[in-house]
Structures are given as C-alpha cells and as structure tokens.
Amino acid sequence: QVQLVESGGGLVQRGGSLTLACEGSGRTFSSYAMAWFRQAPGKEREFVAAVSWNGGSTDYADAVKGRFTISRDNARKIVVLQMNSLKPEDTAVYYCAAGDYEDSEDEYDYWGQGTQVTVSS
C-alpha cells in the first residue's frame, strides 16, 4: 500500500516555473515506477512524465519534453516534477501516481489527490 500527497501547485505567469512534489508513504514506495498525470477542465486525464523505480529511466509526453523534468529520491520517498517555461495550456490538476513504468493511467494503482497548476497569459 502506498499513500501519495502532492504539493507545490499554484498560480504562475506564462514562462514561469513551478516545482511539484509528491511525498509517498509505505515500505514498497521504491519498488514502484512513479508518474505525473494532469487533467484540464473538460478534458481527459493525460500522461505527463514517468520515472522508473530506481530513477534510471524517464519518459515524457511530447507536449512537455525539454520543459519538464521528473526525478525521485527513494530515501526520502519523494518524486519531483520541475516545470519550466510554463504555458497557459499547462493549466490543469496534476496527479502523482505509483504503478508500472507506462504512460497509461490504467497501469497505475495508487493516486494522490491532485494539486492545481494555473498558468496565466
């Protein structure tokens, strides 16, 4: 069992940066791949980024490549999403998830409650 709590969302201007953190609990945290998904109003939830269990592999959606960076610290049970050069279209609720190293939400078993990111133009 893994519990996940996101933090770090907020309001930022176009071109700005935000850092999201996901704090996990449970002894099995380090055995899971971790990912970030997001859901904008009126849209389906979509994959943003994933990191493998040991941090050795990462994957990104095309829309965020070169702007976002995902990383993890298993000793601290934290996953971080560094978001730079933010655009209004990045506005969404961002969710942290634990599961298999895939880009489909169906492969993730545990989810946080989400944190709102709003990018103004």
Side-chain angles (χ1 to χ4, degrees):
Q1 193 82 1
V2 176
Q3 290 80 44
L4 303 170
V5 179
E6 302 98 333
S7 61
L11 173 64
V12 65
Q13 290 187 335
R14 177 197 293 268
S17 298
L18 275 177
T19 303
L20 304 184
C22 174
E23 186 172 357
S25 62
R27 291 185 297 172
T28 59
F29 175 86
S30 61
S31 66
Y32 289 98
M34 298 297 298
W36 289 93
F37 288 78
R38 66 186 182 186
Q39 187 168 22
K43 295 187 177 181
E44 294 186 351
R45 189 154 56 185
E46 63 178 5
F47 171 77
V48 175
V51 59
S52 60
W53 69 275
N54 63 354
S57 298
T58 56
D59 188 24
Y60 297 92
D62 288 343
V64 307
K65 278 181 182 176
R67 300 189 296 123
F68 291 10
T69 302
I70 188 171
S71 61
R72 69 186 297 163
D73 182 338
N74 283 340
R76 297 172 59 201
K77 297 183 180 179
I78 288 178
V79 178
V80 172
L81 185 69
Q82 177 64 45
M83 306 186 295
N84 298 326
S85 302
L86 283 162
K87 306 175 181 179
E89 51 264 45
D90 293 318
T91 296
V93 176
Y94 283 70
Y95 297 90
C96 175
D100 291 334
Y101 185 62
E102 298 286 350
D103 60 4
S104 168
E105 62 177 293
D106 294 338
E107 302 299 325
Y108 290 85
D109 300 314
Y110 303 102
W111 294 82
Q113 82 289 350
T115 185
Q116 176 70 47
V117 171
T118 303
V119 184
S120 66
S121 56

